[in-house]
Amino acid sequence: MGGYDGFMAADYHLHTHLCGHAEGEPRAYVERALELGLQEMGFSDHLPMITRWQPGYSMRRDELEGYVATVQSLAREYSSSIKILLGIEADYFVGFEPEIASLLAAYPFDYVIGSVHFLTDGLPFDHPDHRRRYAELGADHVFVEVYELIARAAESGLFTVIGHFDLPKKFGDRPRDEERVAEAVDRALRAISRAGMAIELNTSGWRKPVGEAYPALDILARAAEHCIPLVFGSDAHRPGDVGASFDRAQALAREVGYTDLLRLSTGRLEPLGS
Ligand code: ZN
Ligand code: FE
Ligand code: FE
Ligand code: ZN
């Protein structure tokens, strides 16, 4: 079998032009995955926000059906060369669990990446236009709230994988009260572990100002201690980023003690390789 540097390489975090801030036809992402020799891939474009839809953040609700049909048709067309899964990246909002659940239940998603991109007050803390409000709140507040939301997302049972765990570091912000934040990290990791969920090593952080994968090495090491299954995701918003830095991701995962990756199509762990 082909493979990418000899390990089960699957990219489960891929966007499409439908979200309004990504480029390239879905087919171009598949072609790139084939070039790289990936064994499996999954589209996970942004689910329309439950609270209020905004242009440029996600597809509209009336576009979901077409997204699902497009991914399913590509999966059939390419079934002899690569396994293509139908995923989705869904925002978690406290108090909207039933609405999220019913939207997710309307389609046969193979997996759901649960992501926190908004604080409870609605602040899109990873958006470059909202840096001032982020600064007013302070990094400690943002990090701790995001980890609390991740813990609740895990407890909600709505998601398969937690996406970009330490996203608040995107622009290089660092918490000051490291102890308090580390405790919040551990509570979130314990919740993920109890829920039997996976965590992703998201390589897009290497392409952002922080210059670091999500999650950071120390958090990934604790995830490994908790025996939380790991998947890789590029968070590609253009075809050229499919599988980006998976060799680095492999090295990082091995460094903290991971020996396997989770294959979402079978639910089984497969060797991470050397
Ligand atoms: Zn996006
Ligand atoms: Fe995201
Ligand atoms: Fe994403
Ligand atoms: Zn994402």
Side-chain angles (χ1 to χ4, degrees):
M1 285 294 287
Y4 184 83
D5 281 1
F7 69 102
M8 197 293 287
D11 192 340
Y12 295 118
H13 198 144
L14 303 171
H15 290 274
T16 78
H17 62 87
L18 282 175
C19 68
H21 59 267
E23 56 190 68
E25 289 298 318
R27 178 181 301 278
Y29 290 71
V30 178
E31 291 292 336
R32 181 63 186 145
L34 288 175
E35 261 172 41
L36 292 171
L38 297 190
Q39 293 172 26
E40 196 162 301
M41 64 185 291
F43 284 96
S44 59
D45 210 354
H46 300 280
L47 186 75
M49 272 172 69
I50 296 288
T51 49
R52 50 166 169 40
W53 181 80
Q54 284 176 272
Y57 278 82
S58 74
M59 66 185 98
R60 297 186 314 266
R61 288 233 192 159
D62 62 7
E63 291 173 312
L64 244 184
E65 186 131 4
Y67 165 74
V68 169
T70 300
V71 174
Q72 287 176 329
S73 133
L74 286 169
R76 278 193 298 273
E77 180 182 340
Y78 286 90
S79 61
S80 60
S81 21
I82 188 167
K83 179 85 182 164
I84 301 177
L85 297 185
L86 172 65
I88 196 87
E89 178 175 19
D91 286 290
Y92 177 66
F93 297 103
V94 173
F96 289 85
E97 292 84 355
E99 287 84 356
I100 301 170
S102 69
L103 190 51
L104 291 174
Y107 301 92
F109 295 116
D110 294 310
Y111 66 94
V112 182
I113 298 179
S115 289
V116 174
H117 301 104
F118 301 89
L119 299 186
T120 307
D121 70 359
L123 180 77
F125 63 86
D126 78 321
H127 198 289
D129 293 350
H130 297 265
R131 299 295 298 143
R132 182 198 292 240
R133 178 73 183 136
Y134 185 122
E136 283 167 11
L137 290 170
D140 286 6
H141 175 99
V142 177
F143 276 89
V144 168
E145 185 172 339
V146 166
Y147 294 144
E148 283 170 356
L149 289 171
I150 287 175
R152 295 187 68 162
E155 286 158 6
S156 76
L158 290 167
F159 312 110
T160 321
V161 178
I162 285 290
H164 42 61
F165 188 92
D166 52 356
L167 183 62
K169 73 181 179 185
K170 179 172 172 178
F171 299 104
D173 298 274
R174 297 293 180 185
R176 265 187 240 163
D177 190 343
E178 289 178 26
E179 201 175 323
R180 176 174 164 231
V181 174
E183 281 164 14
V185 165
D186 260 329
R187 281 195 298 274
L189 289 177
R190 279 198 301 274
I192 293 170
S193 169
R194 271 197 305 270
M197 295 173 64
I199 194 168
E200 77 169 353
L201 208 180
N202 183 312
T203 63
S204 73
W206 275 314
R207 310 191 294 274
K208 298 288 155 49
V210 67
E212 209 179 70
Y214 309 109
L217 185 126
D218 60 319
I219 298 173
L220 193 65
R222 273 184 276 165
E225 287 166 24
H226 285 279
C227 299
I228 296 172
L230 186 68
V231 297
F232 285 178
S234 67
D235 216 340
H237 283 71
R238 54 189 194 93
D241 286 335
V242 174
S245 309
F246 273 21
D247 47 355
R248 267 179 102 174
Q250 183 193 24
L252 186 68
R254 287 195 60 81
E255 189 181 334
V256 302
Y258 273 103
T259 56
D260 302 287
L261 290 177
L262 179 64
R263 186 191 281 258
L264 289 176
S265 63
T266 61
R268 283 205 277 274
L269 295 173
E270 303 216 3
L272 175 57
S274 51

